[in-house]
């Protein structure tokens, strides 16, 4: 939780692999590979929900080279390229998504998404007069980061508690949120409470757009695999001492929820704005995964388990 936002997490993982590769002293290629693979595994296990993390690790770990030096320099190149294309993707999403915002619009956003903020910031930069309603995003209050960023941009912003989302939806023209993962069928996994925003928006016929880089799309959902929802510590919700005095009470603290594609009007990626139903095309044509690749991987892993 030191690093917030699925995109920033992905870039931090790429940077960490690069830093680790640079300090390896071994000249044995096999040893280099196994050290890096172990680091990759540790990184991926830190946050189970944000698909940007395994996607970034997979891209960086696809390094080539026969010797340690060749492998290292290819890994560094892959990591640098991922980091710069990721930053460029956020900028492009801003340009693409901001076209959906009109002068005078009030936008509601949730949590702290750099991709969603890029859309809002670009609309403001291009001279549109906009207002933002931002949720506080309990329990970690990432909404406070969002209002700080919006304030620095000079955008008129109202902070609300999460439970006031439906109350204020009548004042909202467009909901803009980020994503931790997008499934093959266009559902979006994002910070807990996003599906509540989407439900309220759907009820009041307010459009909802998702700002997500293509590396947030999840290849493993092609075969129906579910995205794991991270369950966080109860201490984020209530003081453990207070809870310890109540033996019949337990706390549930999922960090993310799933918004069905039917509540999403548009997903803005750096490759263009798509309807959620087109998500499979992003996984196949941009990320380069096909159902057959997934089947092959599953078959191989089953074979390895059998052996
Ligand atoms: P960007 C954040 O979660 C929020 O759910 C946010 O909407 C999403 O990541 C995407 O953020 P967390 O990963 O990548 O910080 O657009 O728990 O910044």
């Amino acid at each position: 939780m030191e690093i917030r936002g699925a995109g920033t997490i992905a870039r931090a993982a790429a940077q960490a692999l690069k830093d680790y590769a640079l300090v390896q002293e071994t000249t044995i290629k096999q040893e280099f590979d196994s050290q890096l693979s172990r680091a990759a595994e540790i990184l991926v296990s830190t946050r189970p929900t944000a698909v940007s993390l395994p996607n970034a690790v997979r891209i960086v770990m696809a390094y080539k080279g026969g010797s340690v030096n060749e492998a290292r320099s290819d890994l560094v190149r892959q990591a640098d390229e991922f980091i710069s294309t990721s930053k460029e993707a956020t900028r492009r999403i801003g340009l693409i998504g901001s076209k959906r915002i009109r002068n005078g619009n009030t936008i509601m956003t949730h949590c702290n998404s750099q991709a969603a903020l890029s859309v809002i910031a670009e609309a403001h930069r291009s001279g549109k007069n906009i207002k933002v309603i931002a949720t506080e995003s309990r329990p970690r209050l990432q909404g406070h980061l969002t209002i700080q960023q919006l304030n620095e941009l000079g955008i008129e912003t109202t902070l609300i508690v999460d439970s006031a989302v439906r109350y204020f939806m009548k004042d909202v023209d467009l909901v803009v949120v980020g994503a931790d993962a997008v499934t093959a069928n266009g559902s979006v996994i994002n910070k807990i409470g996003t599906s509540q925003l989407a439900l309220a928006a759907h009820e009041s016929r307010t459009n909802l757009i998702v700002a997500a880089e293509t590396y947030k799309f999840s290849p493993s959902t092609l075969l129906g695999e579910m995205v794991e929802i991270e369950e966080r510590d109860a201490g984020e919700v209530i003081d453990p001492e207070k809870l310890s005095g109540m033996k019949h009470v337990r706390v549930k603290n999922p960090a993310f929820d799933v918004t069905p594609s039917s509540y999403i009007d548009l997903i803005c990626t750096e490759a263009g704005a798509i309807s959620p139903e087109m998500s499979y095309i992003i996984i196949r044509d941009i990320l380069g995964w096909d159902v057959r690749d997934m089947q092959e991987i599953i078959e191989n892993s089953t074979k390895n388990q059998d052996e």
Side-chain angles (χ1 to χ4, degrees):
M1 291 304 290
E2 293 279 315
I3 300 165
R4 307 284 179 83
T8 319
I9 289 169
R11 286 193 292 275
Q15 182 66 43
L17 285 171
K18 172 183 161 178
D19 293 345
Y20 194 55
L22 287 172
V23 296
Q24 293 307 308
E25 283 171 0
T26 180
T27 51
I28 304 160
K29 173 71 172 23
Q30 216 177 351
E31 211 174 293
F32 177 85
D33 290 342
S34 75
Q35 287 289 83
L36 265 297
S37 299
R38 196 168 137 56
E41 264 173 45
I42 294 171
L43 285 167
V44 169
S45 68
T46 55
R47 301 296 302 272
T49 305
V51 172
S52 50
L53 178 57
N55 275 347
V57 167
R58 183 176 53 82
I59 290 167
V60 177
M61 290 297 287
Y63 62 84
K64 293 191 175 63
S67 69
V68 169
N69 279 344
E70 283 167 359
R72 184 178 5 243
S73 61
D74 200 43
L75 185 148
V76 168
R77 186 188 58 78
Q78 303 264 40
D80 287 342
E81 199 175 293
F82 177 80
I83 292 167
S84 67
T85 54
S86 157
K87 287 182 182 160
E88 173 61 12
T90 316
R91 195 187 69 81
R92 279 191 59 76
I93 287 169
L95 293 172
I96 293 167
S98 63
K99 295 205 177 88
R100 309 285 160 166
I101 297 177
R102 296 213 174 91
N103 191 33
N105 275 181
T106 296
I107 298 135
M108 184 179 274
T109 191
H110 185 54
C111 197
N112 182 244
S113 157
Q114 297 316 304
L117 281 170
S118 174
V119 171
I120 295 168
E122 180 54 31
H124 172 73
R125 203 198 57 77
S126 66
K128 290 172 190 167
N129 177 25
I130 55 168
K131 289 182 186 152
V132 175
I133 298 177
T135 56
E136 55 175 0
S137 312
R138 283 267 303 151
R140 300 289 301 218
L141 301 177
Q142 290 98 330
H144 290 192
L145 300 171
T146 297
I147 58 168
Q148 208 173 326
Q149 282 180 264
L150 291 167
N151 181 60
E152 276 159 23
L153 291 167
I155 299 175
E156 204 180 305
T157 302
T158 306
L159 175 69
I160 62 168
V161 297
D162 299 341
S163 42
V165 156
R166 186 164 178 254
Y167 181 88
F168 285 107
M169 196 53 80
K170 61 184 183 318
D171 305 329
V172 175
D173 300 294
L174 184 69
V175 177
V176 183
V177 292
D180 284 85
V182 181
T183 69
N185 68 2
S187 296
V188 166
I189 292 91
N190 195 47
K191 190 49 44 72
I192 190 79
T194 303
S195 68
Q196 177 178 273
L197 254 81
L199 186 60
H202 184 73
E203 180 199 38
S204 71
R205 294 172 188 264
T206 303
N207 283 344
L208 179 142
I209 67 174
V210 173
E213 301 88 327
T214 50
Y215 58 80
K216 307 258 178 81
F217 287 64
S218 166
S220 62
T221 60
L222 274 180
L223 293 184
E225 199 176 294
M226 310 288 262
V227 174
E228 186 185 336
I229 302 289
E230 183 180 354
E231 176 81 30
R232 298 188 57 83
D233 198 72
E236 290 185 348
V237 181
I238 186 170
D239 180 356
E241 220 171 283
K242 200 169 182 186
L243 185 66
S244 67
M246 295 180 270
K247 66 177 169 83
H248 301 296
V249 177
R250 65 180 183 138
V251 173
K252 296 288 281 175
N253 184 21
F256 304 95
D257 65 17
V258 184
T259 299
S261 58
S262 52
Y263 291 175
I264 298 163
D265 294 285
L266 205 65
I267 304 179
C268 292
T269 77
E270 75 277 16
I274 57 158
S275 69
E277 290 74 20
M278 292 278 285
S279 294
Y280 169 60
I281 308 290
I282 296 282
I283 296 172
R284 192 191 62 189
D285 294 356
I286 309 275
L287 297 181
W289 287 84
D290 207 331
V291 175
R292 275 163 305 176
D293 298 326
M294 296 304 302
Q295 264 160 348
E296 212 173 293
I297 287 170
I298 288 174
E299 272 162 27
N300 285 342
S301 75
T302 325
K303 224 188 305 168
N304 290 343
Q305 275 165 20
D306 292 348
E307 281 164 6

